[in-house]
Structure formats: structure tokens, C-alpha cells
Amino acid sequence: DGGITQSPKYLFRKEGQNVTLSCEQNLNHDAMYWYRQDPGQGLRLIYYSQIVNDFQKGDIAEGYSVSREKKESFPLTVTSAQKNPTAFYLCASSLLGTGAYEQYFGPGTRLTVT
Amino acid sequence: KQEVTQIPAALSVPEGENLVLNCSFTDSAIYNLQWFRQDPGKGLTSLLLIQSSQREQTSGRLNASLDKSSGRSTLYIAASQPGDSATYLCAVTPFGNEKLTFGTGTRLTIIP
């Protein structure tokens, strides 16, 4: 059963702590993406990766870090430097990162930082 | 900079009616346009992808059209059902850019 999984579904952290969100896909897609969604705003791109061991900053990368050591996995770390980390985080993947291909999304992780 | 707008932000329609959702974008140089559905607290489900060379795509009761020259796309839903209630998002991929640019969505409610 192919798809994208994100874990956990809900995550609670204290301010000042780093937290890592998991994203795994078994679609054999080369490109993976992380988005942030806030109420009343469109999705905003945090980071994306077109190939293993390579990734690029999106529009709002400050306070976040990623790694792409395996094709199937693209974890996102929300660091203590991110000023407003509470949000809904969505991971996506596409066959290639050329922009011509459909993106498929995971179920999301809701992060709450207090 | 590409901007994507969806108006209205919310729409309520009686069950059984046909309806149209609108999406406009400022730069016509795009690879494609995608329509997504999002249920509350869930991820996005891709509904239709229209390549820049296409005028429309159909899937079941859904039909999406694309007019690049005017920077507009519409999503037509036929014979609406309560299960169609969700937020509908459109997104474009600009040429020379791998990144989707999203609209803020239209929240659709189908009234039984």
C-alpha cells in the first residue's frame, strides 16, 4: 500500500526544545517537501529535496533543519530558533522535482509548543 | 512573484446543486495547476492536475479547466453531496521553479 506517512499525528513540546517530525514515503519518489500551514494562510514551503543528500531552502527555512540520507525519508527538525513553531506541518513527495509532476501529501503533524 | 487567489473564502450550497470554485494566478508561465481537497485536520488529497498545455481535466463529478492567458482556473463539481464538504485548494508550479504556490482555499459546505 503506497503512500506517505507522518508521525506523530500530534506533538507537544515546551519552548526551547528541538523536535523532529518524521516523514516516510514508499512511492519511490525522488523529490520530497515540507510545508507549514497556519490558519488563514496558504501552505508555505520550508525545505525541499530533489535527491538524496541534497536539499534546498524554501520560503520560510529559518529555524528549521532537514536531512535526506535515504530516498524514503525526509525528517524535519524544528529548532528552538523558530519563533512561532506551533502549526500544522505537511510532508509531500513527487516523482521528480522538476515541477511537472503531481505532489502527494501525507496526513500531517500538528505541533503545539507552549 | 506568483500569487494565487481563491474567492470566495467560504461557500455554502444546498445538496444536489452544481457549483464552481475559482482560482486566479498572476503569472501565466506555469508548468501545471493542481486542485486539492483538505478535510479538517487532515493532509491534502490531490484531485486533478492540469498541465499547461491542457485546457481541462475530468475525474468523476469533478471537472477542472485552465485558461492560462487570463490566469484563471475553475473546479466544477456536479450534483454536490454532503461528503464534498471540505476546503479546496489550488496551486500552481511556475516555470523554472520546482515549488508549488498555493492559494488560501475555499471552504465548501454542502447543506443536506
Side-chain angles (χ1 to χ4, degrees):
Chain A
D1 202 11
I4 303 175
T5 57
Q6 291 185 244
S7 60
K9 187 173 181 180
Y10 299 99
L11 192 52
F12 298 89
R13 278 294 183 269
K14 295 288 188 187
E15 216 173 283
Q17 293 179 333
N18 292 354
V19 59
T20 298
L21 281 61
S22 167
C23 177
E24 305 275 333
Q25 55 97 1
N26 61 4
L27 299 167
N28 201 31
H29 285 174
D30 286 304
M32 296 186 74
Y33 311 81
W34 273 106
Y35 294 90
R36 171 185 172 134
Q37 187 176 36
D38 296 281
Q41 297 195 43
L43 274 71
R44 293 181 290 168
L45 183 66
I46 305 172
Y47 268 99
Y48 64 103
S49 167
Q50 295 178 286
I51 197 168
V52 173
N53 292 323
D54 188 44
F55 46 83
Q56 289 79 39
K57 292 181 179 180
D59 300 317
I60 54 165
E62 186 175 347
Y64 299 97
S65 66
V66 293
S67 62
R68 186 91 186 273
E69 296 176 2
K70 298 187 300 181
K71 187 175 184 179
E72 304 80 21
S73 178
F74 191 40
L76 173 74
T77 296
V78 184
T79 75
S80 56
Q82 167 49 232
K83 291 183 173 47
N84 295 297
T86 294
F88 189 49
Y89 291 87
L90 289 157
C91 178
S93 70
S94 64
L95 187 60
L96 293 173
T98 62
Y101 293 89
E102 196 169 359
Q103 286 193 20
Y104 295 87
F105 282 76
T109 292
R110 186 166 298 280
L111 173 64
T112 303
V113 177
T114 57
Chain B
K1 180 186 172 188
Q2 178 74 264
E3 292 182 4
V4 180
T5 303
Q6 293 183 252
I7 295 173
L11 181 65
S12 293
V13 174
E15 181 179 0
E17 285 199 3
N18 303 327
L19 63 100
V20 174
L21 304 179
N22 297 299
C23 173
S24 60
F25 47 96
T26 54
D27 188 343
S28 61
I30 61 171
Y31 273 124
N32 58 47
L33 183 145
Q34 272 189 262
W35 280 95
F36 295 90
R37 169 191 172 128
Q38 185 176 31
D39 293 290
K42 306 284 188 188
L44 276 64
T45 300
S46 180
L47 298 173
L48 289 163
L49 171 74
I50 310 178
Q51 301 290 356
S52 62
S53 58
Q54 297 174 318
R55 297 282 294 186
E56 64 179 297
Q57 281 282 356
T58 298
S59 176
R61 294 183 294 110
L62 306 180
N63 176 278
S65 68
L66 175 64
D67 184 344
K68 274 199 320 175
S69 60
S70 66
R72 297 164 96 83
S73 176
T74 61
L75 179 67
Y76 174 84
I77 302 177
S80 58
Q81 304 170 358
D84 294 330
S85 296
T87 296
Y88 290 80
L89 297 150
C90 70
V92 299
T93 307
F95 272 137
N97 190 333
E98 307 84 359
K99 302 179 284 187
L100 282 175
T101 301
F102 281 85
T104 51
T106 295
R107 189 173 69 252
L108 176 65
T109 302
I110 305 300
I111 305 163

